[in-house]
Amino acid sequence: MTGVRIGLDVGGSKTDAVAVAAGGSILARRRSATERGDVGVVDSIVAAVEAVSTRAGSLSITSIGIGIPGQTDGRTVRHAVNLDVRELRLADAVEARCGVPVAVENDVKAAALGAHALAPVAGPLALLNLGTGIAAGVVVDGRLWRGAGGAAGEIGHVPIDPAGPVCACGQTGCIEALAGGRALAARWARPGAFPVRDLLDAADEGHPLALRLRADFVRGAAAAIRLLALAVDPRRIVLAGGLAALGDRVADIVSEELRRSSAASGFLRSLHLGERIEVLPAGSPAAALGASLIDAPVPV
Ligand SMILES: [Zn+2]
């Protein structure tokens, strides 16, 4: 049967929905505000599904895939702090309203699958999310690497600095405590809609605290890239998330840190890390597209 898959990337402020044809092309896309709380999240998803399926025309919907922050087991989402959701049986709730099978996946893992679908590679691809938190998704030969319990890729909670800040997870000096947007904004402690952009501006002007925080950010991001390179050896490392959306400005300082930290190591230089990094373009549909492909066979 020919039908469309719906994929949604449910973010703290926006929900991005796509309708995807059997061949993988995007037939329709809609971005809308996300409402918070259990009821708000489900209502936002159902409204987005209805809108995007109307735009896709008369083709029937065969499945819905949802990428969402937090921990997931394919059906339930837990600890989606940015959405005010503690535990929600999301697949059950959306299936009851929409009448088609629903799969739920962590948003970073879904984005990795989507980045692979947009530009397939044989072997491993990693997507490193530099956002409010730090995490990676790994796709191997077109399939998500979830690990035994879904924790594969949660590299933001690898401690790299015993003298670093305490992390929300309870450890000290995690990559996320150094380089995560939420942690940076808390340490910068200035009001404003774009605290990380603000601190990068201040660092350019020589502000001492901003310079320290920028150094922590690049140190953490570079550590995450080295970790991915050595644990997974991906052909491509795609930088995504709110901090990566700052574009070349972030990519350039992270690449410079990788060069600096590799200077004394012929081994690290031989990995050509800088050549494997790319930034997911702003506005890319990767996360929603990947959500539509959860559990679907993906061409390599
Ligand atoms: Zn941590």
Side-chain angles (χ1 to χ4, degrees), residues 156-157 167-169 171 174:
H157 296 293
C167 182
C169 77
Q171 302 183 94
C174 289

